[in-house]
Amino acid sequence: MTGQNGIAHSIAVASGKGGVGKSTVAVNLAVALAQTGAPTGLLDADIYGPSIPMMTGVRQMPQSRAGKIVPLEAHGLRLMSLGFLMPEGAPTVWRGPMVAGAIQQFLRDVDWGTLEYLIIDLPPGTGDAQLTLAQSLPLTGVIVVSTPQDVATQIAAKAVAMFQQLKVPILGILENMSGFVCPHCGTTAPIFREGGGRRASRQLGVRLLGEIPLDPLVCQSSDRGEPMVTTHPTSPMAEAFRRAADAVAAQVQAGAGAGPAIRMGP
Ligand SMILES: Nc1ncnc2c1ncn2[C@@H]1O[C@H](COP(=O)(O)OP(=O)(O)O)[C@@H](O)[C@H]1O
Ligand SMILES: [Mg+2]
């Protein structure tokens, strides 16, 4: 997509498995990027479990203008999700190529305008749908979300390997649920072990883009359709998302995974 259709950088957010916070990351990262002043869009390509409508609180049917779908706008983002077009709760039984076709249509037939970043929330896993999508989307790069446990980072490593095989640049690993910051004393307690993302980034030679702490408020926020970065801008989580957005922007400006991996401190 780069350069085409007015979108400078399309960045996929992927994960080896579901439930690691991929959609939470996609939404909050997109908002943090938009807050830097860069026009940003968010495309929900998780056709099997579109959660962007719920997480952004947007549920209208998009309008069309001059034969193109006009993305909905909220939280400073331009948004598109199959969830906007389908009745709520309807299951999607689609094969990989059909998924890819629908997503390509979202790129082609949606009037995104001029965007610096289009963040794409991919379906979880390394199956047929992800493969077809990664091959059919002109991506600047991919961010792999993982939680800190070894078992999760092993699964994330598979996703990294898949995208490497497909020659999609890996912008880095973003660790989510990295410990719990006590709201009373500010110390961090590791809940799902420590440093898994950092270890995996070293082993795989890809950058660690950040560590997003656990925050129980994120569930409330998502259920209300308001991203943490806007509702709790001074929380450790929002700060971590802003740092991650800076790291992503730096990777993209530096030519995205083309050169040797830039690593964070020890
Ligand atoms: N850092 C976090 N702290 C607390 N809860 C989180 C965090 N990240 C995600 N969650 C919660 O975990 C659940 C799964 O997150 P979600 O973003 O839907 O994952 P995925 O898209 O990978 O399936 C959601 O209920 C979400 O609110
Ligand atoms: Mg999701």
Side-chain angles (χ1 to χ4, degrees), residues 18-19 21-24 44 46 49-52 55 121-122 124:
K22 184 171 49 61
S23 300
T24 305
D44 187 358
D46 191 350
S51 39
I52 299 305
M55 287 184 178
D121 186 8
L122 289 186

Side-chain angles (χ1 to χ4, degrees), residues 15 17-25 46 51 55 121 124 176-178 212-219 222 237:
S15 66
K17 63 183 183 107
V20 297
K22 184 171 49 61
S23 300
T24 305
V25 163
D46 191 350
S51 39
M55 287 184 178
D121 186 8
N176 185 32
M177 310 197 188
S178 311
I212 311 294
L214 274 158
D215 192 327
L217 290 175
V218 78
C219 296
S222 300
M237 179 184 249

Side-chain angles (χ1 to χ4, degrees), residues 58-135:
V58 175
R59 285 169 213 279
Q60 299 109 278
M61 179 71 82
Q63 307 282 307
S64 68
R65 187 175 54 208
K68 289 223 166 194
I69 304 172
V70 183
L72 295 169
E73 297 207 15
H75 315 291
L77 301 174
R78 284 172 227 163
L79 300 166
M80 192 59 214
S81 168
L82 189 73
F84 298 147
L85 307 174
M86 308 260 300
E88 219 171 312
T92 343
V93 191
W94 287 10
R95 302 184 64 105
M98 292 166 70
V99 174
I103 302 307
Q104 280 175 317
Q105 207 173 342
F106 279 153
L107 292 176
R108 206 179 46 232
D109 298 345
V110 172
D111 184 8
W112 290 104
T114 303
L115 289 181
E116 184 64 20
Y117 302 106
L118 179 67
I119 302 297
I120 306 174
D121 186 8
L122 289 186
T126 50
D128 188 27
Q130 295 74 17
L131 205 101
T132 322
L133 270 178
Q135 283 173 317

Side-chain angles (χ1 to χ4, degrees), residues 68-243:
K68 289 223 166 194
I69 304 172
V70 183
L72 295 169
E73 297 207 15
H75 315 291
L77 301 174
R78 284 172 227 163
L79 300 166
M80 192 59 214
S81 168
L82 189 73
F84 298 147
L85 307 174
M86 308 260 300
E88 219 171 312
T92 343
V93 191
W94 287 10
R95 302 184 64 105
M98 292 166 70
V99 174
I103 302 307
Q104 280 175 317
Q105 207 173 342
F106 279 153
L107 292 176
R108 206 179 46 232
D109 298 345
V110 172
D111 184 8
W112 290 104
T114 303
L115 289 181
E116 184 64 20
Y117 302 106
L118 179 67
I119 302 297
I120 306 174
D121 186 8
L122 289 186
T126 50
D128 188 27
Q130 295 74 17
L131 205 101
T132 322
L133 270 178
Q135 283 173 317
S136 54
L137 297 178
L139 295 172
T140 302
V142 62
I143 297 167
V144 176
V145 179
S146 177
T147 51
Q149 312 90 312
D150 284 343
V151 57
T153 51
Q154 275 164 22
I155 295 169
K158 279 191 196 162
V160 169
M162 181 188 86
F163 288 107
Q164 279 170 337
Q165 261 177 35
L166 296 171
K167 307 255 184 297
V168 177
I170 313 286
L171 297 181
I173 292 181
L174 185 50
E175 186 179 274
N176 185 32
M177 310 197 188
S178 311
F180 174 68
V181 184
C182 172
H184 306 295
C185 67
T187 53
T188 304
I191 307 276
F192 297 124
R193 294 198 62 201
E194 235 173 334
R198 194 174 291 277
R199 277 193 298 279
S201 86
R202 280 214 196 98
Q203 279 160 15
L204 300 167
V206 298
R207 187 174 179 177
L208 180 67
L209 293 166
E211 293 164 314
I212 311 294
L214 274 158
D215 192 327
L217 290 175
V218 78
C219 296
Q220 286 175 31
S221 246
S222 300
D223 289 356
R224 281 206 316 265
E226 290 174 15
M228 276 295 281
V229 169
T230 41
T231 53
H232 298 82
T234 58
S235 63
M237 179 184 249
E239 281 166 18
F241 273 120
R242 286 195 296 270
R243 280 196 300 272

